[in-house]
Amino acid sequence: MARADHGPLYSGGMAGYHMPPDDFRRYGHEMVDWIADYLERVEELPVQSAVQPGDVRAGLPEHPPERPEPFDQIMKDVDEIILPGVTHWQSPNWFAYFPANSSEPSILGELLSAGLGVQGMLWSTSPAATELETHVLDWLVELLGLPDRFKSDGGGGVIQDSASSATLCALLAARERAASDDAELTVYTSTQAHSSVEKAVRIAGLGGAAPRLVPVDEQHAMRMDDLAALVESDVADGRLPILTVATVGSTSSAAVDPVREIGELCRKYGMWLHVDAAMAGTAALLPEHRNLHDGVELADSYCTNPHKWMFTNFDCDAFYVADRRPLIAALSVLPEYLRNEASESGAVIDYRDWQVPLGRRFRALKLWFVIRHYGAEGLRHHVGEHIALARELAGWVADDDRFELVNGYSDLNLVCLRHRDGDDPTRRVLDAVNATGRAYLTHTKLDDRLVIRVSVGQTRTERRHVEALWEELQKAASSNVDNDLG
Ligand code: PLP
């Protein structure tokens, strides 16, 4: 497109500098084509970006443009400057961290959300944004076999940006319910819990700035006897236990805490139980994995992330409370300018009171699109496939003398392995596989030893990708031996 010397870039009846509808249509179609092409070819790209710190910024002009720029030029820079600096989370060769997978219906839901541009802080600022969210989260209760008490007649679900925010909200609600002005408050979670628990405790400003970290057993699950002893001794010392966070599917090894027993202890002490199933909750779509939610009916709150494994773009964490009142009491502040008849009628949900920020996007659209596009059977099919692939890989690892399967207790989609000869060879295998660009893996430490995590959950990961990864792992283990001999 030719660039005008003066005045607006786009002409054709549209006042000012705005993009005219016809140009938006054209570029919008081109953008969807660009994304479709990207998703088709992403598996051929090196998974991890190879740029060095500062490379991306070095390609950008130092100052913002004074004159409007053509959209084609912007997209050219996307290809030339941005894409090399992108690590391809949507590659089927993605096995790092946990996935942040997506899907075409979800992307379209995000586009529609951007197009509507709704800010759904109150029911009255866009009733559909609130009601769709409430409704779709009720659907998810059914899909995941969660207890009915998390449904919207009394309790209810809300989309948070992340599991970290869900944990923080659970903590704030727990503190509200405990209603103590003077006691020293304590929070419990296992040594394997996600770091977001510690962060929530810090943000909430609880004294000590750290949760009590309960030791784990050989399956990396919270030890009940240790939890009970810690709580008992805190109570004896005059402290007030307010919250335990149980993990269903830990980040390092997919370990599952004994939720039922923890729940019973929480009831005994009047403590809030929050269950963090950020990744693993999705597996409960499958009836054979519903046992993951055993005891969740004793929880006061629960979260899982459709933005990890349920084909829904980041950000989408589904957070549930069994009783919404303490959450709202903790987070509701009502200035005059937000007052409205619907809120005052008590007949509506205002999700601003269920989260830390005021404003919120229309995120339910993408989850709704995903659930409707795949149907329960489609979701079960793909999630079941990921688990089957991970189990197959775990079998190959267990049968190979060079490797050790570290989380043999798990029947989910995370495979943890290490080289039998120790941390150095394990590190070399990890680095060698990542250096190929044909897969991306990350590590953790379990029992003080280095572990490679293989997380199978990218939308387009098929058997051939897992087979190729296994080949790379074996090749790297062989060259390790060569290195050692050399
Ligand atoms: N909880 C668990 C068990 C996780 O594995 C993670 C991230 O991997 C989180 C919480 C944090 O997730 P988010 O990025 O949604 O805050």
Side-chain angles (χ1 to χ4, degrees), residues 222-281:
M222 190 189 288
R223 291 188 62 104
M224 268 316 294
D225 46 355
D226 286 319
L227 173 65
L230 268 171
V231 172
E232 202 176 310
S233 109
D234 279 334
V235 170
D237 291 345
R239 300 187 187 96
L240 181 59
I242 58 163
L243 169 71
T244 295
V245 178
T247 309
V248 168
S250 64
T251 316
S252 280
S253 67
V256 177
D257 288 341
V259 174
R260 178 171 299 285
E261 289 167 83
I262 296 171
E264 280 158 7
L265 188 88
C266 285
R267 293 244 162 139
K268 180 172 158 197
Y269 287 95
M271 241 193 296
W272 187 286
L273 170 60
H274 175 63
V275 174
D276 175 2
M279 173 70 182

Side-chain angles (χ1 to χ4, degrees), residues 22-41:
D22 281 348
D23 285 8
F24 176 67
R25 253 183 217 105
R26 186 180 132 211
Y27 292 124
H29 291 152
E30 283 179 19
M31 181 65 86
V32 170
D33 281 343
W34 189 100
I35 295 170
D37 290 346
Y38 171 73
L39 293 177
E40 266 181 350
R41 72 189 172 100

